[in-house]
Amino acid sequence: MPAKPLEKRGLMVQRMDTVEETDGVDDTVNSTSYPLARSVQHQQHTQHSRQVVTESGPAVRLPIEYGSINMALEFSRESAQLGRSRAVSDTSCRAGSTTEAELARTSAAISRYKYYSRIAPGASSRFIMPAHVVPPRFLMILPFKSVGQNQSSIITIFSIWNTMMGTSLLSMPWAVKESGFAMSLVALVVMTGLTCYTAYRVLDSYNRLLRRGIRVSEFSDVCRHYMGRGGEVAAVFFSGLALIGAVIVYWVLLSNFMYQTGQFIYNYASGQHGPDDSGPTQYVLGNRTYNVLCPLINLDESGRNRTLSEDFDRLQMSPAESVWAMNGTDADEPLFNRVWSKTGTVPFFLLLVAWPLISIKSPSFFSKFNALGTVAAGYLLLFVLAKAIGWGFNMDFTSQNPLMRIQQFSPKFFSYTGILSVALFCHCFLILLVKPAKNPKNNTRDLIIAYVCVSITYLFVGGIFYAAYPLSKFCIEQNLLDNIPSSDILAFTARIFLLIQMLTVFPLLMYILRAQMMYYFYKAVYPSWLHVLLFHIAVVGVAILVAMFYPNIGNILRFSGAICGLAHIFTLPTVVYLISERQAARLTPLKCIVHLALIAIGLANFVAQFFMF
């Protein structure tokens, strides 16, 4: 139905001409009123959203271009009860209804917010749509409660920490092994400093635009402002690559956890407690017995170790006799073991659970399970601590056995820096994370504290598990849980936590990836069921193939982290800073040399990944 003229609707519209904001200073709004038959009092608000008082009660004014079809449908029920009051300008009335392309672009933008919002803990810090300087035709009043800038520093720090905690946590002990113990500490300190500095540059670029009265919603908008359309496309493209890498890693881990969970249930139900597919589950080292796995110990088809005397003599350990009995041939193998295969069948079985979830048009339901991520990360920390207490510290720096001696430095340390590139990555989301802060002047301090906390967490998991693992450090797998037998009750609980948590995050990853790609190619978030079906088949098909033939999450993480880190950590923030300094006539040769060196470091980190095999 065409919109009625403003004079007939009896509303007042107030246009925002300029909006200025500095750190810790309230917004200043210069407005021009358009008087109409019936007035609506406008209440200037010091927060990002603008609150007005209508005949039906308080309402929040948001830019219409950040709404969506789904949002409009969600608001319709509440609006019917509260009495919706919308204000549109005469320009939009003459233009008629919003075009399909605008609605598609709007829906694509709001889909990112739905995904980002799940990393903000607590109801008091939910993300809100930013108040941009927009033409009056994009002005809309919705009966919606304003959240405002009331996020404390503790919540800001925790939000940044929660954003960076992810699947890379499971690969930290392997990364320490690849880098060498001493070198891993150096690499962690250096990468933390570099990533924190470039994240500060992202935050600084946002604040610079705010001081000029230019509002942005995410870092891709900053890139568009300074670098044009090409900068925005580069930011979105590499964030899409990061999402594809995350989807693949998630499928590999989901297959792994699903397999181990099924194996535990089968062994418990059948009363069988034999060795895992990676070898024996108990080893005697000295006078102690450890329930761990070591894939270095390879078994032949008869169930015996191919290099029994050589491997065990070199590793100075022997398998516990009580668990060394193996079924001799494939004919004796239970039917369950032939059907339930980690890399053969389980990646396909996972489709039965995951496919219905990713087919949901708007998976906002899954964002309600935000707390599961924190619970899973917290339990993993306790799990590593419990294992370290049970095993004790096993660090031998002087052993004559090269397999038992702790390696301090390794030329493969770039594997660690590649994983840290994704483990310390929050640059795409940083603006959204700090925007609701009550005291924006503390954002830089909160950012530094968050990075320190994240580094301590990675050091705790990677360093303690590496130091406590009782066998040769060369046995440590790319997923630390693969070094624990499926019969271990603590490991089973960790896998259950992670399985459920990742099943709630995976549909959100697919949704945001689908929304970005579909809008980029078809200018619509959901062009048709056939387009979405083919997209799902392509993405999930690649994930299944990787889970079957290359289920190495450490290598996947380091490659995806290196290429996305080259763009979002080392290049885009640096280029944006150099351009802004040149525009302000403050660019010096020293600044150019230092920041071009950052880009060179990111490029070297990416190229080195191809030589870390």
Side-chain angles (χ1 to χ4, degrees):
M1 178 181 297
K4 295 181 181 180
L6 293 177
E7 292 80 5
K8 293 182 180 180
R9 297 183 58 171
L11 297 176
M12 180 191 74
V13 176
Q14 205 158 23
R15 186 176 66 187
M16 295 186 297
D17 291 328
T18 59
V19 180
E20 299 280 347
E21 180 177 326
T22 58
D23 291 347
V25 181
D26 294 341
D27 296 349
T28 301
V29 179
N30 298 325
S31 58
T32 303
S33 298
Y34 296 85
L36 299 174
R38 188 173 61 210
S39 65
V40 179
Q41 295 180 352
H42 175 267
Q43 176 184 347
Q44 290 189 350
H45 206 277
T46 59
Q47 300 167 343
H48 283 302
S49 56
R50 303 298 179 197
Q51 183 172 343
V52 298
V53 179
T54 67
E55 294 179 345
S56 303
V60 170
R61 183 177 61 184
L62 299 175
I64 192 173
E65 61 178 328
Y66 281 91
S68 68
I69 300 174
N70 294 335
M71 176 181 284
L73 293 177
E74 292 171 0
F75 289 158
S76 60
R77 297 186 181 91
E78 183 180 0
S79 301
Q81 299 174 358
L82 299 178
R84 181 172 58 178
S85 175
R86 298 182 303 170
V88 296
S89 71
D90 52 351
T91 305
S92 62
C93 294
R94 290 193 299 267
S97 60
T98 307
T99 64
E100 291 294 331
E102 290 172 338
L103 290 176
R105 179 165 56 87
T106 291
S107 187
I110 196 67
S111 65
R112 294 198 295 270
Y113 280 89
K114 288 181 179 179
Y115 172 66
Y116 297 155
S117 63
R118 73 176 306 278
I119 58 181
S124 62
S125 63
R126 292 174 183 168
F127 291 132
I128 59 174
M129 300 303 151
H132 281 253
V133 178
V134 296
R137 63 179 178 276
F138 291 118
L139 200 58
M140 186 177 186
I141 293 180
L142 297 173
F144 203 76
K145 186 178 180 181
S146 175
V147 177
Q149 293 176 274
N150 57 358
Q151 180 173 282
S152 65
S153 292
I154 296 296
I155 298 300
T156 301
I157 294 170
F158 183 79
S159 296
I160 299 174
W161 177 88
N162 194 35
T163 301
M164 288 188 276
M165 287 294 103
T167 55
S168 54
L169 201 62
L170 297 171
S171 295
M172 282 298 153
W174 174 80
V176 173
K177 177 200 75 172
E178 292 292 294
S179 179
F181 185 72
M183 191 64 191
S184 67
L185 300 177
V186 175
L188 180 61
V189 172
V190 172
M191 286 296 294
T192 300
L194 293 178
T195 54
C196 184
Y197 173 75
T198 54
Y200 164 74
R201 282 298 160 210
V202 172
L203 187 61
D204 180 65
S205 63
Y206 166 67
N207 291 329
R208 290 188 184 202
L209 293 181
L210 280 183
R211 287 191 289 269
R212 294 168 54 187
I214 302 173
R215 292 193 181 264
V216 294
S217 58
E218 52 188 350
F219 186 58
S220 61
D221 296 335
V222 177
C223 295
R224 180 182 59 202
H225 176 82
Y226 285 104
M227 304 166 61
R229 176 66 176 170
E232 181 186 23
V233 170
V236 173
F237 173 77
F238 284 102
S239 65
L241 282 183
L243 286 173
I244 293 176
V247 167
I248 293 175
V249 171
Y250 266 55
W251 199 272
V252 172
L253 288 175
L254 284 170
S255 301
N256 185 309
F257 298 149
M258 188 174 178
Y259 167 80
Q260 297 288 0
T261 302
Q263 191 71 43
F264 177 88
I265 296 174
Y266 171 78
N267 290 339
Y268 182 81
S270 62
Q272 298 183 12
H273 301 284
D276 281 35
D277 57 355
S278 298
T281 59
Q282 290 184 359
Y283 294 93
V284 176
L285 184 59
N287 59 353
R288 296 190 61 181
T289 300
Y290 299 97
N291 295 317
V292 293
L293 294 175
C294 180
L296 280 182
I297 311 303
N298 299 314
L299 304 178
D300 59 20
E301 296 180 355
S302 64
R304 304 300 297 177
N305 193 275
R306 273 194 289 263
T307 56
L308 182 62
S309 60
E310 178 184 356
D311 281 354
F312 280 94
D313 289 344
R314 293 176 67 190
L315 293 175
Q316 299 178 352
M317 58 190 174
S318 60
E321 294 295 330
S322 59
V323 298
W324 188 234
M326 294 279 293
N327 292 321
T329 63
D330 290 341
D332 299 328
E333 187 178 9
L335 176 63
F336 176 82
N337 292 343
R338 295 199 297 268
V339 174
W340 193 254
S341 172
K342 182 190 295 186
T343 58
T345 59
V346 173
F348 288 98
F349 290 149
L350 183 59
L351 280 172
L352 300 176
V353 180
W355 190 269
L357 300 179
I358 66 176
S359 300
I360 299 175
K361 266 192 173 184
S362 179
S364 57
F365 166 77
F366 299 105
S367 63
K368 299 177 182 179
F369 297 92
N370 175 46
L372 287 179
T374 305
V375 172
Y379 181 83
L380 192 60
L381 295 177
L382 294 177
F383 171 79
V384 171
L385 180 61
K387 289 300 178 183
I389 294 174
W391 294 337
F393 283 93
N394 300 278
M395 302 277 284
D396 192 344
F397 296 95
T398 60
S399 175
Q400 299 300 316
N401 188 337
L403 291 179
M404 299 301 295
R405 186 171 59 246
I406 298 299
Q407 191 175 22
Q408 297 283 27
F409 299 94
S410 171
K412 292 184 177 181
F413 72 91
F414 277 109
S415 297
Y416 194 25
T417 60
I419 290 180
L420 287 176
S421 297
V422 67
L424 298 170
F425 175 62
C426 71
H427 299 59
C428 282
F429 323 119
L430 184 59
I431 294 176
L432 294 168
L433 294 172
V434 302
K435 185 174 290 187
K438 181 185 297 184
N439 297 313
K441 63 183 179 181
N442 296 331
N443 285 340
T444 301
R445 180 202 65 187
D446 298 342
L447 177 67
I448 296 174
I449 294 175
Y451 264 92
V452 172
C453 293
V454 169
S455 299
I456 292 175
T457 304
Y458 289 143
L459 178 63
F460 180 89
V461 173
I464 289 185
F465 189 92
Y466 177 86
Y469 185 74
L471 307 185
S472 170
K473 309 306 179 183
F474 289 93
C475 295
I476 297 178
E477 285 281 83
Q478 297 187 18
N479 176 3
L480 65 89
L481 292 176
D482 285 344
N483 288 111
I484 311 298
S486 59
S487 58
D488 188 284
I489 188 63
L490 293 178
F492 169 75
T493 306
R495 292 179 179 116
I496 285 291
F497 265 125
L498 292 170
L499 178 64
I500 297 175
Q501 186 260 340
M502 294 177 70
L503 279 175
T504 62
V505 176
F506 186 77
L508 295 171
L509 289 174
M510 286 293 295
Y511 180 62
I512 183 61
L513 179 61
R514 183 183 72 203
Q516 286 188 355
M517 295 298 104
M518 289 294 151
Y519 174 75
Y520 182 80
F521 288 105
Y522 303 105
K523 302 303 178 183
V525 175
Y526 201 95
S528 71
W529 68 269
L530 181 60
H531 289 82
V532 173
L533 176 64
L534 294 177
F535 176 80
H536 286 172
I537 291 176
V539 175
V540 175
V542 171
I544 291 176
L545 291 176
V546 173
M548 292 177 62
F549 299 105
Y550 196 74
N552 302 315
I553 65 168
N555 289 330
I556 299 171
L557 284 173
R558 66 184 179 89
F559 270 103
S560 62
I563 188 171
C564 296
L566 172 61
H568 274 287
I569 295 178
F570 295 102
T571 301
L572 293 177
T574 300
V575 172
V576 165
Y577 172 70
L578 293 177
I579 293 176
S580 65
E581 288 294 284
R582 186 186 63 180
Q583 292 177 351
R586 293 194 299 263
L587 186 61
T588 63
L590 179 60
K591 290 181 180 179
C592 286
I593 294 173
V594 171
H595 290 85
L596 290 178
L598 288 178
I599 300 177
I601 292 174
L603 180 61
N605 182 42
F606 171 66
V607 173
Q609 304 306 318
F610 295 94
F611 303 95
M612 297 295 106
F613 292 99

